Amino acid sequence: MNVATILAAGQGKRFGAEVPKQFVEVLGKPILAYTLEVFQESPDIDAIQIVCQPEHKDRVMGIARDYRIDKLRWITDGGNSCPKSFRNAVFAMRDVLKDDAIIVTHMSVSPLVSPEDIAASVAMCKEKGCSFTMHPVRICMARGGGEGWADTNAPKESFIELNAPWSFRYGEVYDLYRRLEERGYVLSEADYTLGLWFADGRKAWYVRGCEAGQMKITTTHDRDLFEGYLLLKRKEAEHERLHRGD
């Protein structure tokens, strides 16, 4: 089984809206709905788990109903950080998923993920046990000192930009978190799964993502860019329809 775990527990404080940004509407539709529709339509996804804060469960269920997300099977309580929310997602599935199941994780506010990205992530995970989506770094980089200065060039060819979706064989990622729990390790806001994976002495395999998939809606500027992208796609579709004479 391939399960999409959609992280939708953020509070969106930087966004400044009355509701968390995943519930903000763009052209009349919540951002979360755009994201869910891609996974709903993906032939590589069998079921969906959404991680959200308890007070938003009814809102999530309403979106799933309104947009016919019938692959939604589980809603899991989120934590107070993204790493803790994913930890909750992993443990919530212990009595549901077999060790060879694949858990495909994505951010609710990254709605331009493509079906091709999902398929590539699943395929790589089946082969290697994990995968993440990457984009090459295109700009010049330097090592900053944190006080307004930089002192060392950082060759961009040595770095890649991490992105979602990221996928793991369920048994392996569960074992990683189980061992951390047994040691009494307390997750911090910086303890993203790939960092824990690296610290455990493992390699992470990557696939290159589509260009549009880099967008993550964090600010109102990002929302405006997303709206502009959607309007452009509508205009292109209308032009194509007129060209065909429909």
Side-chain angles (χ1 to χ4, degrees):
M1 176 180 280
N2 302 333
V3 175
T5 292
I6 309 300
L7 301 179
Q11 296 299 311
K13 295 179 180 178
R14 287 176 292 175
F15 198 86
E18 294 182 357
V19 296
K21 55 184 178 290
Q22 59 269 25
F23 303 122
V24 169
E25 293 190 356
V26 177
L27 299 182
K29 181 189 294 188
I31 292 170
L32 174 60
Y34 287 100
T35 303
L36 289 175
E37 285 180 333
V38 183
F39 287 89
Q40 170 71 25
E41 295 168 7
S42 169
D44 296 285
I45 297 299
D46 301 307
I48 295 173
Q49 173 194 30
I50 297 179
V51 185
C52 70
Q53 298 301 337
E55 62 268 27
H56 295 306
K57 283 186 178 181
D58 288 345
R59 189 188 298 268
V60 167
M61 292 175 64
I63 290 172
R65 180 186 63 251
D66 292 345
Y67 294 94
R68 300 180 181 179
I69 310 299
D70 57 24
K71 287 184 181 179
L72 176 60
R73 295 274 299 278
W74 309 278
I75 299 180
T76 299
D77 288 350
N80 59 7
S81 68
C82 185
K84 290 181 180 178
S85 289
F86 184 63
R87 175 265 178 211
N88 290 359
V90 169
F91 278 92
M93 293 289 99
R94 186 54 188 161
D95 295 328
V96 177
L97 299 181
K98 296 181 179 179
D99 285 350
D100 62 352
I102 293 176
I103 186 166
V104 183
T105 310
H106 196 69
M107 308 298 290
S108 61
V109 291
S110 294
L112 295 181
V113 58
S114 73
E116 292 77 17
D117 285 356
I118 297 170
S121 185
V122 168
M124 180 65 78
C125 188
K126 285 182 176 179
E127 179 182 353
K128 299 293 188 180
C130 75
S131 72
F132 67 93
T133 307
M134 62 76 69
H135 295 92
V137 174
R138 296 177 175 175
I139 60 175
C140 297
M141 300 180 66
R143 187 181 68 184
E147 298 178 0
W149 51 266
D151 62 357
T152 305
N153 284 332
K156 61 184 180 182
E157 295 79 12
S158 300
F159 297 89
I160 56 176
E161 178 184 328
L162 305 182
N163 211 329
W166 62 89
S167 302
F168 297 93
R169 285 197 196 111
Y170 179 74
E172 295 187 39
V173 74
Y174 171 79
D175 182 67
L176 173 64
Y177 280 101
R178 177 189 59 79
R179 288 186 282 110
L180 290 171
E181 293 271 318
E182 290 176 351
R183 285 166 35 200
Y185 186 84
V186 178
L187 294 175
S188 74
E189 292 188 4
D191 281 326
Y192 287 92
T193 311
L194 275 176
L196 299 173
W197 195 260
F198 294 146
D200 200 45
R202 300 170 183 248
K203 291 181 179 179
W205 304 85
Y206 58 78
V207 294
R208 183 163 179 169
C210 72
E211 296 297 322
Q214 289 179 280
M215 176 176 285
K216 179 182 178 185
I217 301 175
T218 302
T219 66
T220 54
H221 177 66
D222 299 328
R223 179 203 56 201
D224 293 344
L225 290 175
F226 178 50
E227 182 173 329
Y229 177 89
L230 294 175
L231 290 171
L232 175 61
K233 290 301 178 182
R234 286 186 182 183
K235 184 177 181 180
E236 290 176 347
E238 178 65 14
H239 181 271
E240 179 65 21
R241 186 186 68 79
L242 293 174
H243 182 72
R244 295 195 310 264
D246 293 351

